[in-house]
Amino acid sequence: MRQELPLNKDGERRIFRRSGYDTKTDAQADLDKVRALLNIAGKEDTEGRRRLGDLLETVGASKDPLPNYEETKRKFATGQSLTEHMTVGEWLELWLAGKKGLRTSGKNRYDTDIRVHLIPRIGHIRLDRLTVAHLDEMFEGIAETNEEIRDGNILRRTALDELKLIPWKGLENRRRRKAIKDTIAAMDPFRRTTGVATQHHIKATLRAALNVAIARGLIVFNAAAHVELEEHRRPKALVWTDERVAEWLRTGVKPSPVMVWTPEQAGEYLDFLVDRKERLYGLYHVITFRGLRRGESCGLRRTDRNRAAKTLTVATQLVQDGWEVIENAPKTDSGERVIDLDEYTDEILDDQAAQQDAERLAYGEAWIDSGRMFTMPDGSFIHPGWLTDQFERLVELSGLPPIRLHDLRHVAASLMLAAGVDIKIVSETLGHSESRITRDIYQSVMPKAAREAAEATLAMVPRAARHPEPEPTAPALEGVEQTAVDRLIAQIMAAAEQDGRPVEEVARMALAHVSGRAVEPVADTDGHATGTQEDAKIIAFRPRRVPA
């Protein structure tokens, strides 16, 4: 079979030749394919026909099969090279370089997916030849690597434990210790496995890149859209109830990766910080009650506080890149927000500012003016990684059940929700992009709210017959009723002390006042809110302030 091709760029003639056909019919079929490929470009399109001639010349020299007509037509129409084929790795690097609007943390996450997982495993495959089978094989390889990592970690941990048991003294013991140390040195270091959540992110990264490739006409099929992975479920946030604390003390195992302190536990932690005169008390207070992210609290600037309006503007954050710290915009557009402050938190921030002024004077010329609201003693910014380590150490010293620093943000959300704050306001305070995210994360945090909703639903239906009323018994004060009485007693004693009158006299006045009007029932709550959803208000939670 023989077909003359368009002249090359130097004006030289060239011919496509191929032999070895069994029949004339087979040869004619290939000749028709060659002519169809050449006719993709119009007769007047000299440059286009030359490009098609280059393609056929390359195929003829390599003796590869003839190119697919539809694929060649698509590449020709989008101006792609017909003789060079982009690999998955080349495209991923080109795609990431074109992502101009990404925040640093997002770009680093994409880069990790591409550099650590995608390019090593599928980077060599032609972009237009990538299939679902290739991706299934990639994720199977990740699973096998995970098993190898787990086995290696177990061996290393076993060797380290054995080393701890060998005494230092004695020639034989020293030899054994040296042998085990040599063995440990030859082992891989402890490594993290690639979990289900990370695998889903890898898939999402590849899918996004391939969607852009489709939009540019490089491919027509997105293989990543058809890969099935193990379902990833976000861990539910659970409250540290007495039962869960007792089980944790017994086993040392957290019920969930995401745990939330009760209001009492949160108050105990804040009081612990006050007792030890923790210099960063204000930072932990703001996270606990207003739900800032770690990087947002480290990134707060003094100028972000409006004293007159009693607000904080979250406009920047400090994020880790390795161990390096980069200043960046908040995690999402909705993360840039203005947060209202209560009077007590405003006072706490006044104390923090006064402390910082004192430290500035003490350091003199050595003071580093980072402009941050919360700083190290010398004025430098707080490293987010250091803050996480510091928080975990303080929690351990407090004796409270463990939570992560990020879980203080969950504490803030649960307090607001338990106090009846509208879900939209909670979402805006936390900086979530939509209230659905807030609801999905925290719907199980306060089961008491769900019980109250169930009781309210039941009360909506009038019934002629009710359960038999219990026999009257001596009145008992329990739960919230007892709490209310305790508060009343405390108020009576405080009033008596302030006015200089006997406690009995003030108590009689209070009883006379109560007997003169109907007593309003006290709502059964967790101690966070009073009233209905419409008129709900947060009960002041006022831990002791750090002494000056």
Side-chain angles (χ1 to χ4, degrees):
M1 185 264 287
R2 180 178 183 278
Q3 171 65 43
E4 186 167 355
L5 301 176
L7 302 178
N8 64 17
K9 61 181 180 180
D10 297 324
E12 298 173 345
R13 293 182 60 191
R14 47 191 176 169
I15 297 175
F16 181 90
R17 294 185 178 87
R18 181 156 291 185
S19 58
Y21 294 99
D22 294 333
T23 65
K24 185 176 180 181
T25 302
D26 293 339
Q28 185 61 47
D30 269 7
L31 180 59
D32 292 340
K33 290 180 181 178
V34 169
R35 290 171 176 171
L37 289 168
L38 289 173
N39 289 331
I40 288 176
K43 293 183 179 180
E44 305 300 325
D45 185 0
T46 305
E47 175 61 23
R49 293 182 68 83
R50 183 188 64 76
R51 289 176 58 210
L52 292 165
D54 293 341
L55 169 64
L56 290 169
E57 183 180 26
T58 301
V59 170
S62 62
K63 298 184 179 179
D64 290 336
L66 290 174
N68 178 270
Y69 175 83
E70 294 297 335
E71 181 181 327
T72 304
K73 184 177 180 180
R74 174 175 53 80
K75 287 185 174 182
F76 180 84
T78 54
Q80 300 175 49
S81 172
L82 302 179
T83 56
E84 297 179 2
H85 303 289
M86 186 180 298
T87 64
V88 172
E90 290 169 343
W91 168 245
L92 289 173
E93 290 178 343
L94 184 64
W95 170 76
L96 184 59
K99 300 286 287 183
K100 304 298 184 184
L102 282 178
R103 291 178 170 87
T104 302
S105 57
K107 193 163 188 176
N108 288 344
R109 186 66 187 272
Y110 281 137
D111 178 70
T112 299
D113 290 342
I114 291 170
R115 177 174 44 81
V116 177
H117 300 286
L118 293 172
I119 288 181
R121 294 184 182 275
I122 60 172
H124 61 285
I125 299 172
R126 266 179 57 174
L127 180 62
D128 57 351
R129 295 288 186 265
L130 184 66
T131 65
V132 176
H134 289 134
L135 302 186
D136 286 338
E137 184 179 352
M138 177 183 73
F139 286 110
E140 288 170 4
I142 290 176
E144 292 173 0
T145 301
N146 283 344
E147 288 298 322
E148 294 172 1
I149 291 173
R150 292 189 190 100
D151 292 343
N153 289 346
I154 291 172
L155 289 174
R156 186 176 181 86
R157 189 173 295 109
T158 301
L160 289 170
D161 291 343
E162 183 179 353
L163 182 64
K164 293 178 182 178
L165 297 175
I166 301 175
W168 288 82
K169 294 182 178 180
L171 179 61
E172 182 60 28
N173 287 335
R174 287 197 294 271
R175 287 175 178 171
R176 287 178 60 196
R177 291 183 65 85
K178 183 179 184 305
I180 293 178
K181 285 183 177 180
D182 291 342
T183 301
I184 293 172
M187 293 179 177
D188 289 330
F190 286 119
R191 293 186 292 165
R192 296 176 60 183
T193 58
T194 304
V196 176
T198 303
Q199 292 181 42
H200 277 271
H201 197 278
I202 294 168
K203 173 184 172 181
T205 297
L206 180 60
R207 182 173 182 173
L210 294 182
N211 278 336
V212 176
I214 291 175
R216 294 190 182 184
L218 301 177
I219 56 175
V220 294
F221 174 72
N222 191 330
H226 302 278
V227 175
E228 293 189 9
L229 298 177
E230 179 183 347
E231 184 179 359
H232 168 59
R233 295 184 178 180
R234 184 191 298 270
K236 286 188 176 182
L238 299 179
V239 179
W240 272 118
T241 60
D242 291 342
E243 294 79 8
R244 288 170 180 152
V245 172
E247 184 67 11
W248 165 71
L249 290 172
R250 188 180 70 83
T251 64
V253 178
K254 290 170 60 177
S256 170
V258 181
M259 298 301 298
V260 180
W261 280 333
T262 63
E264 294 76 16
Q265 291 163 342
E268 184 178 343
Y269 177 71
L270 293 176
D271 285 342
F272 164 77
L273 297 182
V274 170
D275 291 340
R276 75 189 310 270
K277 299 182 179 179
E278 170 58 43
R279 62 177 298 277
L280 290 177
Y281 171 83
L283 183 149
Y284 295 117
H285 179 98
V286 170
I287 297 178
T288 303
F289 287 100
R290 309 316 292 153
L292 270 66
R293 298 178 176 92
R294 179 184 70 168
E296 293 171 348
S297 60
C298 293
L300 276 176
R301 299 163 298 197
R302 292 189 292 268
T303 54
D304 291 331
R305 181 187 176 196
N306 187 327
R307 280 186 168 85
K310 292 184 180 178
T311 61
L312 278 180
T313 300
V314 180
T316 186
Q317 65 172 343
L318 299 183
V319 296
Q320 280 185 241
D321 181 12
W323 189 249
E324 181 184 358
V325 177
I326 299 173
E327 183 174 4
N328 209 339
K331 185 177 179 181
T332 62
D333 290 338
S334 54
E336 299 182 18
R337 60 201 187 277
V338 177
I339 296 176
D340 291 310
L341 300 176
D342 58 272
E343 290 185 6
Y344 184 65
T345 300
D346 203 49
E347 295 173 9
I348 292 296
L349 294 182
D350 282 340
D351 292 345
Q352 195 79 34
Q355 173 187 284
Q356 191 178 78
D357 289 340
E359 290 172 343
R360 181 186 292 107
L361 290 174
Y363 271 82
E365 293 183 358
W367 174 262
I368 301 172
D369 191 3
S370 64
R372 304 295 167 182
M373 180 176 296
F374 303 111
T375 65
M376 301 300 285
D378 65 352
S380 59
F381 66 78
I382 296 173
H383 193 292
W386 177 88
L387 184 63
T388 294
D389 295 340
Q390 176 75 351
F391 174 76
E392 292 176 355
R393 186 177 71 85
L394 290 171
V395 171
E396 185 176 358
L397 290 173
S398 72
L400 288 163
I403 67 171
R404 306 168 305 163
L405 177 59
H406 191 75
D407 294 338
L408 273 187
R409 177 172 159 86
H410 300 325
V411 171
S414 63
L415 288 173
M416 286 186 279
L417 291 172
V421 178
D422 185 86
I423 190 81
K424 181 173 175 54
I425 297 176
V426 177
S427 178
E428 291 173 350
T429 302
L430 297 175
H432 286 159
S433 57
E434 51 183 297
S435 59
R436 176 188 58 80
I437 297 175
T438 313
R439 186 177 295 106
D440 289 347
I441 295 175
Y442 300 110
Q443 63 182 351
S444 64
V445 169
M446 284 295 170
K448 189 64 173 281
R451 290 198 302 273
E452 291 173 352
E455 293 292 344
T457 303
L458 180 65
M460 290 292 293
V461 181
R463 299 291 302 279
R466 295 284 185 180
H467 291 292
E469 294 292 335
E471 293 294 328
T473 59
L477 296 176
E478 295 181 355
V480 175
E481 291 83 354
Q482 183 63 56
T483 301
V485 171
D486 291 342
R487 288 177 179 168
L488 178 59
I489 293 172
Q491 290 173 353
I492 290 173
M493 295 180 68
E497 181 179 357
Q498 182 176 354
D499 296 344
R501 288 181 291 181
V503 174
E504 293 80 0
E505 179 182 347
V506 177
R508 283 195 301 271
M509 293 174 61
L511 289 173
H513 178 70
V514 171
S515 62
R517 62 183 177 86
V519 180
E520 296 179 2
V522 181
D524 179 19
T525 70
D526 279 319
H528 303 290
T530 60
T532 63
Q533 178 72 18
E534 289 73 17
D535 64 356
K537 64 177 181 180
I538 300 177
I539 294 176
F541 177 64
R542 195 175 179 89
R544 300 189 301 279
R545 293 173 63 184
V546 180

